[in-house]
Amino acid sequence: MDNTPSSVNMQALGERIQQSSAFIEDIYSELNKVIVGQQYMIDRLLVGLLADGHVLLEGVPGLAKTLTVSSLAKVINTKFQRLQFTPDLLPADLIGTLIYNQKEAEFTVKKGPIFSNIILADEINRSPAKVQSALLEAMQELQVTIGETTYPLEEPFLVLATQNPVEQEGTYPLPEAQVDRFMMKIKIDYPSESEELEIMRRMAQTGEKQKLKPVVSTQKVLEAREVINQIYIDEKVEQYIIDLVFTTRKPSRYDLDDLTELINFGASPRASINLNLAARAHAFMQHRAYVTPEDVRTIAMDVLRHRIIPTFEAEAENITSEDIIEKIMSTVQVP
């Protein structure tokens, strides 16, 4: 059965996408008032927002991770909470708790900061496993249980977690199974020399900072998600996603025998799902009604880097999951 949409349908979808994705440029121009550079981080945060996927950001302190996330929440006119994760944080500090009211002789619910739209979990690896699992349950189930009652979380619900790649002392690294809940893991690098000069000129002054105004509503974001579901992805592009993911599990099937000794665990089925969703969101951001292999390639590293566990042999040779992904992407045939 041919599931290729007709040219008339594609044209109508294209026009709808042009209209519904117009706010992307508004977001960029508003964020550029405050943030210099970091285009890659902004792009991936928007992909996460549009594809309904949580994002893990890794980078040394001072790279504007917190500023970028809080600024994004302001331009979307949505509820935002920043949570500083520390070793003494408790699950109740995150999700809320029951408080006994002596006058009424009954318990009342005090909801925690998790009841928001965009959550910035700062230094998620500094909190104990109980707190991490409370957050990850909310991410997965889109609901929170306090006492005996379950409360749904309001959509959009997006967790953007940061972790510092240095200073691992006193941290609680996220287990692989929990890291897999994040759609993407993105690595933030230092700005270029010209960008840093601009940052210094903007920020090296006291007084009131530039204020951001909302340019898009949460309703518009939810509508955009509906449109993204209709973006056309060809069977060949779908097969390309499957080939990339399966090569991480069975490299010998794709004549990459040398990778067999380097990969302990390949990517889970969540990788295929998230690669498809993220590629569609990326196409939407380019105002296109269809996914190209280049959309998949652009986003593949961020979707796969935390889902491949290298072996001890790979680590001994300083081969990272990123090196493995690059080898796979340069070998697997692009449709």
Side-chain angles (χ1 to χ4, degrees):
M1 192 180 91
D2 182 20
N3 67 348
T4 309
S6 69
S7 58
V8 177
N9 288 346
M10 283 299 282
Q11 190 179 348
L13 181 59
E15 285 167 9
R16 192 176 169 200
I17 283 167
Q18 287 289 340
Q19 289 171 353
S20 60
S21 63
F23 69 83
I24 299 293
E25 267 65 41
D26 297 336
I27 289 177
Y28 283 141
S29 61
E30 195 64 21
L31 287 178
N32 286 340
K33 291 179 183 175
V34 171
I35 295 149
V36 179
Q38 297 298 12
Q39 190 65 38
Y40 160 72
M41 173 165 44
I42 294 168
D43 282 349
R44 297 304 180 267
L45 291 180
L46 282 173
V47 167
L49 180 73
L50 293 166
D52 194 12
H54 310 290
V55 183
L56 182 61
L57 302 96
E58 186 171 279
V60 296
L63 296 182
K65 298 187 293 292
T66 305
L67 176 66
T68 306
V69 173
S70 60
S71 301
L72 181 64
K74 282 174 189 163
V75 301
I76 296 171
N77 192 22
T78 191
K79 287 184 280 183
F80 169 71
Q81 284 285 355
R82 175 178 178 261
L83 300 165
Q84 183 64 53
F85 278 46
T86 55
D88 60 350
L89 201 70
L90 298 170
D93 298 328
L94 183 69
I95 64 171
T97 187
L98 292 170
I99 294 173
Y100 187 67
N101 185 331
Q102 281 187 315
K103 268 188 184 174
E104 308 288 330
E106 63 181 20
F107 286 96
T108 55
V109 172
K110 184 179 187 297
K111 290 182 176 180
I114 195 90
F115 289 90
S116 200
N117 296 111
I118 294 181
I119 305 287
L120 174 61
D122 238 341
E123 297 198 89
I124 189 173
N125 55 336
R126 294 227 171 266
S127 68
K130 274 186 178 179
V131 179
Q132 290 177 5
S133 60
L135 175 68
L136 290 157
E137 183 191 353
M139 286 163 55
Q140 186 72 9
E141 310 296 335
L142 270 182
Q143 60 184 32
V144 166
T145 303
I146 304 171
E148 293 177 358
T149 313
T150 299
Y151 301 90
L153 294 166
E154 193 182 322
E155 289 209 63
F157 177 70
L158 187 68
V159 172
L160 306 170
T162 71
Q163 62 180 19
N164 184 346
V166 294
E167 289 178 25
Q168 294 304 321
E169 188 128 343
T171 62
Y172 305 83
L174 290 167
E176 280 80 14
Q178 295 190 345
V179 175
D180 195 39
R181 305 265 178 93
F182 289 94
M183 173 178 265
M184 291 178 287
K185 178 183 178 182
I186 65 174
K187 289 201 168 177
I188 316 300
D189 210 348
Y190 289 107
S192 67
E193 205 171 311
S194 59
E195 286 169 349
E196 186 134 358
L197 182 62
E198 178 62 26
I199 290 167
M200 183 179 71
R201 284 172 177 164
R202 280 199 203 180
M203 298 300 180
Q205 43 188 293
T206 57
E208 200 171 299
K209 297 282 187 279
Q210 175 86 41
K211 279 196 165 64
L212 294 172
K213 66 176 194 293
V215 294
V216 62
S217 65
T218 51
Q219 187 55 40
K220 195 85 174 163
V221 172
L222 294 174
E223 284 169 11
R225 286 182 179 179
E226 290 295 315
V227 177
I228 286 168
N229 285 337
Q230 295 169 36
I231 286 179
Y232 174 65
I233 180 162
D234 191 81
E235 278 182 22
K236 287 177 184 169
V237 180
E238 287 179 331
Q239 188 57 49
Y240 180 53
I241 291 172
I242 298 298
D243 287 343
L244 287 175
V245 173
F246 264 73
T247 309
T248 70
R249 298 177 202 162
K250 295 179 178 162
S252 54
R253 271 178 58 181
Y254 299 86
D255 299 324
L256 285 167
D257 298 307
D258 53 330
L259 292 186
T260 308
E261 300 298 312
L262 303 177
I263 302 172
N264 207 355
F265 294 103
S268 72
R270 275 201 189 112
S272 324
I273 297 163
N274 286 331
L275 205 40
N276 183 313
L277 280 168
R280 287 184 193 208
H282 190 266
F284 178 85
M285 287 165 62
Q286 309 300 314
H287 315 294
R288 263 191 282 106
Y290 55 90
V291 175
T292 66
E294 201 48 47
D295 289 317
V296 177
R297 291 178 67 79
T298 302
I299 220 88
M301 180 67 79
D302 304 301
V303 173
L304 294 174
R305 66 155 55 92
H306 56 301
R307 293 188 158 93
I308 295 172
I309 315 299
T311 58
F312 287 121
E313 288 86 348
E315 287 174 6
E317 294 176 40
N318 286 327
I319 294 170
T320 63
S321 62
E322 292 169 4
D323 298 327
I324 293 167
I325 295 162
E326 279 175 7
K327 182 83 184 280
I328 288 169
M329 286 176 67
S330 64
T331 307
V332 174
Q333 193 173 349
V334 183

